[in-house]
Short mmCIF file of all heavy atoms in Angstrom, two decimals:
data_model
loop_
_atom_site.label_atom_id
_atom_site.label_comp_id
_atom_site.label_asym_id
_atom_site.label_seq_id
_atom_site.Cartn_x
_atom_site.Cartn_y
_atom_site.Cartn_z
N ASN E 103 -135.01 -47.37 5.84
CA ASN E 103 -136.18 -46.50 5.65
C ASN E 103 -137.48 -47.23 5.98
O ASN E 103 -138.45 -47.17 5.22
CB ASN E 103 -136.20 -45.93 4.24
CG ASN E 103 -137.08 -44.72 4.12
OD1 ASN E 103 -137.32 -44.03 5.11
ND2 ASN E 103 -137.58 -44.46 2.92
N LEU E 104 -137.48 -47.93 7.11
CA LEU E 104 -138.67 -48.66 7.54
C LEU E 104 -139.55 -47.73 8.36
O LEU E 104 -139.06 -47.06 9.28
CB LEU E 104 -138.27 -49.89 8.36
CG LEU E 104 -137.43 -50.92 7.61
CD1 LEU E 104 -136.92 -51.99 8.55
CD2 LEU E 104 -138.23 -51.55 6.49
N PRO E 105 -140.85 -47.68 8.06
CA PRO E 105 -141.72 -46.69 8.70
C PRO E 105 -142.09 -47.00 10.15
O PRO E 105 -142.34 -46.08 10.93
CB PRO E 105 -142.97 -46.68 7.82
CG PRO E 105 -142.99 -48.04 7.20
CD PRO E 105 -141.56 -48.44 7.04
N THR E 106 -142.14 -48.27 10.53
CA THR E 106 -142.60 -48.62 11.87
C THR E 106 -141.69 -49.67 12.50
O THR E 106 -140.93 -50.35 11.81
CB THR E 106 -144.03 -49.20 11.83
OG1 THR E 106 -144.01 -50.43 11.09
CG2 THR E 106 -145.02 -48.22 11.22
N THR E 107 -141.83 -49.80 13.81
CA THR E 107 -141.09 -50.84 14.52
C THR E 107 -141.58 -52.22 14.10
O THR E 107 -140.79 -53.16 14.01
CB THR E 107 -141.22 -50.63 16.04
OG1 THR E 107 -140.71 -49.33 16.36
CG2 THR E 107 -140.44 -51.67 16.81
N ARG E 108 -142.87 -52.34 13.84
CA ARG E 108 -143.39 -53.63 13.36
C ARG E 108 -142.74 -54.03 12.04
O ARG E 108 -142.42 -55.20 11.83
CB ARG E 108 -144.91 -53.56 13.20
CG ARG E 108 -145.64 -53.64 14.50
CD ARG E 108 -147.13 -53.79 14.30
NE ARG E 108 -147.74 -53.83 15.61
CZ ARG E 108 -148.87 -53.23 15.92
NH1 ARG E 108 -149.53 -52.56 15.00
NH2 ARG E 108 -149.35 -53.32 17.14
N ALA E 109 -142.55 -53.07 11.15
CA ALA E 109 -141.89 -53.36 9.88
C ALA E 109 -140.44 -53.78 10.13
O ALA E 109 -139.93 -54.68 9.46
CB ALA E 109 -141.94 -52.14 8.97
N LEU E 110 -139.79 -53.15 11.09
CA LEU E 110 -138.42 -53.53 11.44
C LEU E 110 -138.38 -54.97 11.96
O LEU E 110 -137.54 -55.76 11.54
CB LEU E 110 -137.87 -52.57 12.50
CG LEU E 110 -136.53 -52.95 13.13
CD1 LEU E 110 -135.42 -52.97 12.09
CD2 LEU E 110 -136.19 -51.99 14.26
N ILE E 111 -139.30 -55.30 12.85
CA ILE E 111 -139.32 -56.66 13.41
C ILE E 111 -139.60 -57.68 12.32
O ILE E 111 -138.96 -58.74 12.27
CB ILE E 111 -140.35 -56.75 14.56
CG1 ILE E 111 -139.88 -55.89 15.74
CG2 ILE E 111 -140.56 -58.19 15.00
CD1 ILE E 111 -140.91 -55.69 16.83
N SER E 112 -140.52 -57.38 11.41
CA SER E 112 -140.80 -58.30 10.29
C SER E 112 -139.56 -58.49 9.43
O SER E 112 -139.25 -59.61 9.02
CB SER E 112 -141.93 -57.76 9.43
OG SER E 112 -143.13 -57.71 10.15
N ARG E 113 -138.84 -57.41 9.18
CA ARG E 113 -137.62 -57.49 8.37
C ARG E 113 -136.55 -58.31 9.09
O ARG E 113 -135.85 -59.11 8.48
CB ARG E 113 -137.11 -56.08 8.06
CG ARG E 113 -135.86 -56.02 7.24
CD ARG E 113 -136.12 -56.40 5.78
NE ARG E 113 -134.91 -56.37 5.01
CZ ARG E 113 -134.55 -55.38 4.21
NH1 ARG E 113 -135.33 -54.33 4.04
NH2 ARG E 113 -133.41 -55.44 3.56
N LEU E 114 -136.43 -58.12 10.41
CA LEU E 114 -135.46 -58.89 11.19
C LEU E 114 -135.78 -60.39 11.15
O LEU E 114 -134.88 -61.22 11.10
CB LEU E 114 -135.43 -58.40 12.64
CG LEU E 114 -134.73 -57.08 12.89
CD1 LEU E 114 -135.07 -56.55 14.28
CD2 LEU E 114 -133.24 -57.21 12.71
N LYS E 115 -137.05 -60.71 11.18
CA LYS E 115 -137.45 -62.12 11.14
C LYS E 115 -137.16 -62.75 9.77
O LYS E 115 -136.84 -63.93 9.69
CB LYS E 115 -138.93 -62.26 11.48
CG LYS E 115 -139.21 -62.00 12.95
CD LYS E 115 -140.69 -62.12 13.26
CE LYS E 115 -140.92 -61.90 14.75
NZ LYS E 115 -142.33 -61.94 15.12
N ALA E 116 -137.23 -61.95 8.72
CA ALA E 116 -137.05 -62.48 7.36
C ALA E 116 -135.60 -62.41 6.87
O ALA E 116 -135.20 -63.21 6.04
CB ALA E 116 -137.95 -61.71 6.39
N ASP E 117 -134.82 -61.48 7.38
CA ASP E 117 -133.48 -61.22 6.86
C ASP E 117 -132.43 -61.71 7.86
O ASP E 117 -132.11 -61.03 8.85
CB ASP E 117 -133.33 -59.72 6.60
CG ASP E 117 -132.06 -59.35 5.88
OD1 ASP E 117 -131.11 -60.17 5.85
OD2 ASP E 117 -132.00 -58.23 5.34
N GLU E 118 -131.85 -62.88 7.59
CA GLU E 118 -130.89 -63.46 8.52
C GLU E 118 -129.63 -62.62 8.67
O GLU E 118 -129.11 -62.45 9.78
CB GLU E 118 -130.50 -64.87 8.06
CG GLU E 118 -129.57 -65.57 9.02
CD GLU E 118 -129.21 -66.98 8.58
OE1 GLU E 118 -129.71 -67.44 7.54
OE2 GLU E 118 -128.42 -67.60 9.29
N ALA E 119 -129.14 -62.04 7.58
CA ALA E 119 -127.93 -61.21 7.66
C ALA E 119 -128.16 -60.00 8.55
O ALA E 119 -127.32 -59.68 9.40
CB ALA E 119 -127.49 -60.79 6.26
N LEU E 120 -129.29 -59.34 8.39
CA LEU E 120 -129.61 -58.18 9.22
C LEU E 120 -129.72 -58.58 10.68
O LEU E 120 -129.22 -57.90 11.57
CB LEU E 120 -130.91 -57.52 8.74
CG LEU E 120 -131.40 -56.33 9.56
CD1 LEU E 120 -130.37 -55.21 9.54
CD2 LEU E 120 -132.74 -55.85 9.04
N ARG E 121 -130.39 -59.70 10.93
CA ARG E 121 -130.56 -60.20 12.29
C ARG E 121 -129.19 -60.46 12.93
O ARG E 121 -128.94 -60.10 14.07
CB ARG E 121 -131.42 -61.46 12.27
CG ARG E 121 -131.84 -61.95 13.61
CD ARG E 121 -132.86 -63.07 13.56
NE ARG E 121 -132.43 -64.20 12.76
CZ ARG E 121 -132.99 -64.57 11.60
NH1 ARG E 121 -134.01 -63.89 11.11
NH2 ARG E 121 -132.55 -65.63 10.95
N GLN E 122 -128.26 -61.04 12.17
CA GLN E 122 -126.92 -61.32 12.69
C GLN E 122 -126.15 -60.01 12.93
O GLN E 122 -125.41 -59.91 13.92
CB GLN E 122 -126.15 -62.21 11.73
CG GLN E 122 -126.64 -63.64 11.73
CD GLN E 122 -125.86 -64.50 10.75
OE1 GLN E 122 -125.06 -64.00 9.96
NE2 GLN E 122 -126.11 -65.80 10.80
N PHE E 123 -126.33 -59.03 12.06
CA PHE E 123 -125.69 -57.73 12.27
C PHE E 123 -126.13 -57.13 13.60
O PHE E 123 -125.34 -56.53 14.30
CB PHE E 123 -126.06 -56.76 11.14
CG PHE E 123 -125.01 -56.64 10.09
CD1 PHE E 123 -124.93 -57.57 9.07
CD2 PHE E 123 -124.10 -55.61 10.11
CE1 PHE E 123 -123.98 -57.46 8.09
CE2 PHE E 123 -123.13 -55.49 9.13
CZ PHE E 123 -123.07 -56.43 8.12
N CYS E 124 -127.40 -57.29 13.91
CA CYS E 124 -127.93 -56.73 15.15
C CYS E 124 -127.48 -57.52 16.37
O CYS E 124 -127.44 -56.99 17.47
CB CYS E 124 -129.44 -56.65 15.09
SG CYS E 124 -130.03 -55.45 13.87
N GLY E 125 -127.17 -58.81 16.16
CA GLY E 125 -126.69 -59.61 17.29
C GLY E 125 -127.63 -60.71 17.74
O GLY E 125 -127.41 -61.29 18.80
N TRP E 126 -128.67 -60.98 16.98
CA TRP E 126 -129.59 -62.05 17.34
C TRP E 126 -129.35 -63.25 16.43
O TRP E 126 -129.44 -63.16 15.22
CB TRP E 126 -131.04 -61.58 17.22
CG TRP E 126 -131.37 -60.50 18.21
CD1 TRP E 126 -131.30 -60.60 19.56
CD2 TRP E 126 -131.81 -59.18 17.92
NE1 TRP E 126 -131.67 -59.40 20.13
CE2 TRP E 126 -131.99 -58.51 19.15
CE3 TRP E 126 -132.07 -58.48 16.74
CZ2 TRP E 126 -132.42 -57.20 19.24
CZ3 TRP E 126 -132.49 -57.17 16.83
CH2 TRP E 126 -132.67 -56.53 18.07
N ALA E 127 -129.07 -64.40 17.05
CA ALA E 127 -128.73 -65.60 16.29
C ALA E 127 -129.95 -66.27 15.68
O ALA E 127 -129.84 -66.94 14.65
CB ALA E 127 -128.00 -66.60 17.20
N SER E 128 -131.11 -66.09 16.27
CA SER E 128 -132.31 -66.77 15.77
C SER E 128 -133.50 -65.83 15.82
O SER E 128 -133.47 -64.79 16.48
CB SER E 128 -132.61 -68.01 16.62
OG SER E 128 -132.98 -67.61 17.93
N VAL E 129 -134.55 -66.22 15.14
CA VAL E 129 -135.79 -65.44 15.13
C VAL E 129 -136.36 -65.36 16.54
O VAL E 129 -136.89 -64.32 16.95
CB VAL E 129 -136.82 -66.06 14.15
CG1 VAL E 129 -138.16 -65.38 14.25
CG2 VAL E 129 -136.30 -65.99 12.73
N GLU E 130 -136.24 -66.44 17.30
CA GLU E 130 -136.77 -66.47 18.66
C GLU E 130 -136.06 -65.48 19.59
O GLU E 130 -136.63 -65.08 20.61
CB GLU E 130 -136.66 -67.89 19.25
CG GLU E 130 -137.52 -68.92 18.56
CD GLU E 130 -136.94 -69.42 17.23
OE1 GLU E 130 -135.69 -69.39 17.05
OE2 GLU E 130 -137.74 -69.80 16.36
N ALA E 131 -134.85 -65.13 19.27
CA ALA E 131 -134.08 -64.21 20.12
C ALA E 131 -134.51 -62.76 19.95
O ALA E 131 -134.17 -61.92 20.80
CB ALA E 131 -132.60 -64.35 19.82
N ILE E 132 -135.24 -62.44 18.89
CA ILE E 132 -135.68 -61.06 18.65
C ILE E 132 -136.69 -60.68 19.73
O ILE E 132 -137.66 -61.39 19.95
CB ILE E 132 -136.32 -60.91 17.25
CG1 ILE E 132 -135.29 -61.26 16.18
CG2 ILE E 132 -136.84 -59.49 17.05
CD1 ILE E 132 -135.88 -61.36 14.79
N PRO E 133 -136.48 -59.56 20.42
CA PRO E 133 -137.40 -59.15 21.48
C PRO E 133 -138.79 -58.81 20.95
O PRO E 133 -138.97 -58.52 19.76
CB PRO E 133 -136.75 -57.91 22.09
CG PRO E 133 -135.36 -57.89 21.59
CD PRO E 133 -135.34 -58.66 20.31
N HIS E 134 -139.75 -58.78 21.87
CA HIS E 134 -141.12 -58.39 21.54
C HIS E 134 -141.18 -56.89 21.23
O HIS E 134 -140.34 -56.11 21.68
CB HIS E 134 -142.03 -58.73 22.73
CG HIS E 134 -143.48 -58.56 22.42
ND1 HIS E 134 -144.15 -57.39 22.66
CD2 HIS E 134 -144.38 -59.42 21.89
CE1 HIS E 134 -145.42 -57.52 22.29
NE2 HIS E 134 -145.59 -58.75 21.82
N GLU E 135 -142.19 -56.52 20.49
CA GLU E 135 -142.36 -55.11 20.11
C GLU E 135 -142.40 -54.19 21.32
O GLU E 135 -141.90 -53.06 21.28
CB GLU E 135 -143.66 -54.97 19.29
CG GLU E 135 -143.91 -53.59 18.77
CD GLU E 135 -145.20 -53.48 17.96
OE1 GLU E 135 -145.85 -54.51 17.71
OE2 GLU E 135 -145.54 -52.35 17.59
N SER E 136 -142.98 -54.63 22.43
CA SER E 136 -143.06 -53.79 23.62
C SER E 136 -141.67 -53.46 24.17
O SER E 136 -141.44 -52.36 24.66
CB SER E 136 -143.90 -54.47 24.71
OG SER E 136 -143.31 -55.69 25.10
N LYS E 137 -140.74 -54.41 24.06
CA LYS E 137 -139.38 -54.14 24.52
C LYS E 137 -138.70 -53.11 23.62
O LYS E 137 -137.98 -52.23 24.10
CB LYS E 137 -138.54 -55.41 24.55
CG LYS E 137 -137.16 -55.16 25.13
CD LYS E 137 -136.51 -56.44 25.57
CE LYS E 137 -135.28 -56.11 26.37
NZ LYS E 137 -134.69 -57.29 26.95
N PHE E 138 -138.95 -53.19 22.31
CA PHE E 138 -138.42 -52.17 21.41
C PHE E 138 -138.92 -50.78 21.84
O PHE E 138 -138.15 -49.83 21.88
CB PHE E 138 -138.86 -52.45 19.96
CG PHE E 138 -137.99 -53.40 19.22
CD1 PHE E 138 -138.23 -54.77 19.26
CD2 PHE E 138 -136.93 -52.95 18.45
CE1 PHE E 138 -137.43 -55.65 18.55
CE2 PHE E 138 -136.12 -53.83 17.74
CZ PHE E 138 -136.37 -55.19 17.79
N SER E 139 -140.20 -50.69 22.19
CA SER E 139 -140.77 -49.40 22.60
C SER E 139 -140.16 -48.90 23.89
O SER E 139 -139.82 -47.72 24.01
CB SER E 139 -142.29 -49.52 22.77
OG SER E 139 -142.89 -49.80 21.54
N ARG E 140 -140.02 -49.78 24.89
CA ARG E 140 -139.44 -49.37 26.17
C ARG E 140 -138.00 -48.90 25.99
O ARG E 140 -137.59 -47.88 26.55
CB ARG E 140 -139.48 -50.52 27.18
CG ARG E 140 -140.84 -50.77 27.78
CD ARG E 140 -140.75 -51.70 28.98
NE ARG E 140 -140.00 -52.93 28.73
CZ ARG E 140 -140.51 -54.06 28.26
NH1 ARG E 140 -141.80 -54.12 27.96
NH2 ARG E 140 -139.76 -55.13 28.09
N VAL E 141 -137.23 -49.64 25.21
CA VAL E 141 -135.82 -49.29 25.01
C VAL E 141 -135.70 -48.01 24.17
O VAL E 141 -134.83 -47.18 24.42
CB VAL E 141 -135.05 -50.46 24.38
CG1 VAL E 141 -133.65 -50.06 23.98
CG2 VAL E 141 -135.00 -51.62 25.36
N PHE E 142 -136.61 -47.81 23.21
CA PHE E 142 -136.60 -46.57 22.43
C PHE E 142 -136.80 -45.38 23.36
O PHE E 142 -136.10 -44.37 23.25
CB PHE E 142 -137.68 -46.60 21.35
CG PHE E 142 -137.65 -45.41 20.45
CD1 PHE E 142 -136.80 -45.37 19.36
CD2 PHE E 142 -138.46 -44.31 20.70
CE1 PHE E 142 -136.76 -44.26 18.53
CE2 PHE E 142 -138.43 -43.20 19.87
CZ PHE E 142 -137.58 -43.17 18.79
N ASP E 143 -137.76 -45.49 24.30
CA ASP E 143 -137.98 -44.42 25.28
C ASP E 143 -136.74 -44.20 26.14
O ASP E 143 -136.37 -43.06 26.43
CB ASP E 143 -139.17 -44.74 26.18
CG ASP E 143 -140.51 -44.60 25.47
OD1 ASP E 143 -140.56 -43.95 24.41
OD2 ASP E 143 -141.50 -45.15 25.98
#
């Protein structure tokens, strides 16, 4: 129930288990917000 993509990215950076569920091994591997927007479209 995260309201924005920025909130999602912040949660991914802070929550290692969630990040691993998504498939990113490190914080650096998380894409930039602009990529989230392009892929959402």
